[in-house]
Amino acid sequence: MENKGNYTNLYKLVEKLKNADDPKRKYEFILWLGKKLKVPDNSILISENKVQGCVSEVFIKANYQKGKLYWEGYSDALITKGLLAFLINGMNELTPEEVVSLNSKFIEETGLKASLTPSRSNGFLNILLKMQSQANDFL
């Protein structure tokens, strides 16, 4: 695991899921995050922000301010929206370097794989990869 220093928000979310022993509770937490996700400006709903390889429609956009990335995103499916919110909340205010160097192992640590369909699990990773790709554009 990376130095948790700047990844505090992400690892707080990972711990919360890791400590929920019932898969249903993990799911509920993800749904709750999805419901709290701020509705983005429609201008982000363009092909360059679209996450490929997701069954549902997912868009993510990085905004760069004072050396840090701030994310906004949209998904038309509640579970996917929750996964998106998980990543946005966990990765807001990281530098592009931190986002790019983030190891995707934390996804396994959440224990969500047992609760998610393979396509959702794959979508979760695809959202992360899209975020890393966008962060890389600021390097």
Side-chain angles (χ1 to χ4, degrees):
M1 196 187 291
E2 294 94 349
N3 163 7
K4 285 187 186 176
N6 295 332
Y7 299 105
T8 312
N9 290 342
L10 183 63
Y11 284 109
K12 273 186 193 156
L13 292 167
V14 170
E15 286 300 313
K16 196 157 183 109
L17 286 172
K18 216 158 66 173
N19 295 332
D21 38 9
D22 177 6
K24 189 172 176 241
R25 299 222 11 193
K26 290 182 199 287
Y27 227 65
E28 285 167 355
F29 179 63
I30 289 297
L31 287 171
W32 178 78
L33 285 173
K35 286 179 186 148
K36 286 184 48 171
L37 186 64
K38 205 173 114 240
V39 177
D41 189 291
N42 277 347
S43 67
I44 80 157
L45 306 179
I46 56 173
S47 61
E48 70 186 61
N49 296 330
K50 191 171 185 351
V51 177
Q52 300 304 317
C54 281
V55 178
S56 52
E57 294 269 299
V58 184
F59 295 86
I60 184 78
K61 182 175 187 330
N63 297 299
Y64 187 72
Q65 295 168 352
K66 297 183 179 153
K68 299 203 184 283
L69 294 173
Y70 297 85
W71 303 93
E72 54 181 335
Y74 167 81
S75 175
D76 60 354
L78 200 50
I79 290 286
T80 311
K81 193 186 224 179
L83 297 172
L84 182 63
F86 177 93
L87 290 171
I88 287 174
N89 292 335
M91 293 167 60
N92 246 346
E93 297 185 32
L94 292 179
T95 66
E97 294 82 4
E98 289 165 339
V99 172
V100 169
S101 64
L102 183 62
N103 186 319
S104 65
K105 278 194 193 117
F106 73 87
I107 292 177
E108 284 170 39
E109 289 178 39
T110 62
L112 275 171
K113 261 201 162 120
S115 315
L116 296 174
T117 62
S119 68
R120 286 226 170 90
S121 202
N122 199 26
F124 196 19
L125 182 61
N126 287 338
I127 295 167
L128 174 64
L129 293 173
K130 180 71 173 176
M131 291 171 88
Q132 289 180 315
S133 162
Q134 287 187 9
N136 196 47
D137 294 341
F138 291 104
L139 293 178

